[in-house]
Amino acid sequence: MIKLDQFLKLVGITATGGQAKLMIIDGEIKVNGTIETRRGRKLEPNDQVTVAGKTFNVGDVI
């Protein structure tokens, strides 16, 4: 498992945890099609994260 903010850094969406936090709080991130506002949300390999219209399969990254 990986936390949402860590995942955003891992895939290169953000450079810092602070940037990830702001994107998450602003409602810019969807997990499995639903806006996620918890940066500590734990992601499973079968989850999908969508940012700015681009979708990442968590299992393909971790």
Side-chain angles (χ1 to χ4, degrees), residues 10-48:
L10 181 66
V11 297
I13 297 296
T14 63
T16 67
Q19 289 174 334
K21 177 182 174 182
L22 291 175
M23 289 183 77
I24 295 166
I25 289 172
D26 288 343
E28 297 180 36
I29 311 299
K30 289 184 179 181
V31 177
N32 300 327
T34 304
I35 293 173
E36 181 58 67
T37 57
R38 299 171 292 162
R39 75 180 192 178
R41 160 79 187 260
K42 292 181 180 169
L43 301 173
E44 301 285 341
N46 61 334
D47 287 332
Q48 291 185 330

